[in-house]
Amino acid sequence: MKFGIFYELQLPRPWVADGELTLYQNALDQVELADRLGYDFAWEVEHHFLEEYSHSPAPEVFLAAASQRTKNIRLAHGIMQLTTTHPARCAERIGALDLVSRGRVEFGTGESASSTELEPFGVAYDEKRAKWEEAIRAIIPMFKDGGCEHHGKYFDMPLRNVLPKPIQKPHPPIWVACSALETIEMAGRRGLGALAFQFLSADAAYAWVHAYYNSFVKRQDKLADYQVNPNIALTSYFMCAETDEEARRRADGIPFFQFALRFYGQSATRERPAPGTVNLWDEYEKWKRENPEGLARALSGGLIGSPETIRRKLRRFESSHIDQVILLNQAGKNTHAHICESLELFAREVMPEFHANIPEQDAWKAKVLAGEIELEEIDTAPFRDRYGPNSVQLKAQAAE
């Protein structure tokens, strides 16, 4: 199993002078540390206008800076919004980043999940999947030598040679975000790596991994002529400390992350309130005071705990054949010191065991892709709850 680290670049209120500067510099220090410790991937999101939840509108800038402070870690868009950027600009940025990083880019793609982000760019919420699909079809030929043109519903481009070209041939590995669990099956059908959020149980992971690889092997229907990327990565809440109690004490930002998702997720289009009208951290603190039991439950999930607790949980996911676990540590007001200590302790006490088993996972995958192992078709209907009873629970009126 491989391991990544994950960044939304969250910055809860109250905002102070140099707060964003400190946030960015600390995150870059953490990526540099993760590279030295042997982590495999650094994932950076793209979001726009999401106060407190994410201050990361330009992941290509962050990842380019990280590329100059690291040597081995893969630099991963998690994701680049193909719906809000012209395909040629996406291809140019990936090509340039692949050059400055000496071929370490992972091309994570997605649609954006909220009308707050899409509307300023003139994108209709109900057309985002179709626009993402067309963007994939438009971008892939741009990575090839020579010129290309595209004439579609959403993008129209005359014959041009999109430069520079990436080092990785035919292009960097392509992923798609799976914010809704059903999208995991779609990722497999399209031959793309799946970026999924944490599963509620090992049974759910087992079912969705089967759904992904069965779609990949039996029902593949690629959008364009790209190199397939058979991988399923799981993002999980994370804080590692010497004891479970200390890990939970240090992980207060994790329930904030969950709270923000639920607070804004109750609108059909995840529309956010007008700028400055909601103090999300204050709302979270109010929820904590009123829901101490809910807070305790929220801190009991994910990969939050001692090395032994986290090791035990990871073994269950490893048996489900997850390819990569992406550790979400920078959340809320989790401190830079605690994040670094968490990364160091995990790398020392936990990661080596699972890194040692990567060849075994690769051998299993090769047999699945070759048809030598046939996976059971499992009904995923019982495993479609993204949140579960231990996550932050909000009343419907909370987001009004």
Side-chain angles (χ1 to χ4, degrees):
M1 185 183 290
K2 296 181 180 180
F3 294 96
I5 54 175
F6 183 84
Y7 288 91
E8 295 270 5
L9 295 179
Q10 294 202 331
L11 190 64
R13 286 183 169 88
W15 293 337
V16 298
D18 294 336
E20 288 178 321
L21 174 63
T22 301
L23 171 69
Y24 268 72
Q25 296 303 321
N26 283 349
L28 287 169
D29 287 346
Q30 292 157 24
V31 174
E32 184 176 355
L33 172 65
D35 181 58
R36 292 201 304 270
L37 294 172
Y39 286 84
D40 304 286
F41 294 80
W43 294 89
E44 174 73 2
V45 305
E46 177 183 349
H47 278 309
H48 303 276
F49 321 121
L50 304 187
E51 294 184 324
E52 300 185 72
Y53 181 77
S54 175
H55 291 232
S56 178
E60 69 280 358
V61 175
F62 180 88
L63 293 173
S67 76
Q68 302 306 292
R69 298 173 59 165
T70 58
K71 295 181 179 179
N72 300 305
I73 198 166
R74 301 287 296 178
L75 301 169
H77 282 272
I79 47 83
M80 180 183 286
Q81 290 182 6
L82 304 193
T83 48
T84 58
T85 306
H86 190 280
R89 297 292 291 125
C90 295
E92 289 167 345
R93 291 171 182 176
I94 292 297
L97 182 58
D98 211 40
L99 289 171
V100 300
S101 67
R102 298 183 183 272
R104 289 187 280 142
V105 176
E106 301 280 323
F107 185 19
T109 74
E111 307 166 8
S112 174
S114 72
S115 57
T116 295
E117 296 183 81
L118 292 167
E119 286 180 358
F121 297 103
V123 180
Y125 187 86
D126 59 0
E127 292 188 323
K128 63 190 184 76
R129 171 61 57 83
K131 191 170 184 181
W132 168 78
E133 290 182 348
E134 184 179 323
I136 292 286
R137 294 188 180 101
I139 289 170
I140 297 306
M142 297 176 182
F143 291 134
K144 299 177 181 179
D145 290 336
C148 65
E149 57 187 302
H150 178 84
H151 307 287
K153 178 178 178 181
Y154 301 103
F155 307 105
D156 191 85
M157 180 173 160
L159 181 63
R160 294 291 188 274
N161 193 359
V162 178
L163 301 168
K165 306 297 183 184
I167 294 174
Q168 299 177 84
K169 302 299 181 186
H171 50 71
I174 307 176
W175 303 72
V176 61
C178 303
S179 55
L181 289 174
E182 305 90 89
T183 314
I184 295 171
E185 183 278 330
M186 182 276 288
R189 182 163 41 87
R190 296 307 193 189
L192 303 173
L195 293 170
F197 221 72
Q198 72 177 40
F199 299 115
L200 303 181
S201 67
D203 287 342
Y206 185 81
W208 281 111
V209 169
H210 276 54
Y212 173 82
Y213 280 107
N214 278 330
S215 290
F216 197 103
V217 172
K218 302 176 184 178
R219 297 178 284 276
Q220 192 172 120
D221 179 21
K222 289 166 44 175
L223 289 166
D225 181 24
Y226 45 74
Q227 180 70 46
V228 296
N229 180 28
N231 277 286
I232 184 165
L234 164 70
T235 304
S236 183
Y237 303 123
F238 171 68
M239 182 64 76
C240 187
E242 294 292 348
T243 66
D244 291 348
E245 293 75 20
E246 180 62 15
R248 290 168 185 164
R249 187 186 71 80
R250 294 180 173 197
D252 184 58
I254 299 302
F256 171 78
F257 191 102
Q258 296 182 37
F259 178 87
L261 285 176
R262 298 306 292 266
F263 189 90
Y264 289 136
Q266 299 188 69
S267 163
T269 64
R270 299 185 183 179
E271 184 176 4
R272 270 57 168 177
T277 59
V278 170
N279 184 313
L280 194 59
W281 185 262
D282 282 354
E283 294 290 336
Y284 169 60
E285 288 288 324
K286 177 182 177 183
W287 175 85
K288 283 202 304 184
R289 290 192 297 271
E290 296 175 352
N291 297 275
E293 293 181 357
L295 177 66
R297 286 196 303 270
L299 288 167
S300 69
L303 299 173
I304 300 173
S306 67
E308 184 53 42
T309 293
I310 293 175
R311 185 181 298 112
R312 185 175 66 251
K313 292 183 177 183
L314 281 174
R315 284 173 179 161
R316 293 200 296 268
F317 286 122
E318 185 178 52
S319 68
S320 302
H321 292 288
I322 297 291
D323 295 292
Q324 178 187 163
V325 172
I326 307 171
L327 305 169
L328 194 166
N329 210 4
Q330 192 279 313
K333 296 185 180 181
N334 290 354
T335 70
H336 175 58
H338 289 163
I339 291 170
C340 291
E341 290 172 16
S342 180
L343 291 172
E344 290 171 340
L345 182 60
F346 179 87
R348 184 173 66 250
E349 300 291 336
V350 182
M351 193 161 66
E353 172 187 332
F354 297 93
H355 267 175
N357 296 335
I358 290 174
E360 183 179 341
Q361 166 67 10
D362 289 345
W364 174 87
K365 187 193 305 189
K367 290 181 179 179
V368 170
L369 297 176
E372 297 174 26
I373 295 176
E374 185 168 350
L375 300 180
E376 177 188 2
E377 295 278 0
I378 299 175
D379 181 12
T380 56
F383 306 110
R384 300 205 169 198
D385 182 0
R386 180 182 175 187
Y387 298 105
N390 288 336
S391 67
V392 169
Q393 305 292 317
L394 300 183
K395 297 178 181 179
Q397 66 267 27
E400 293 177 357

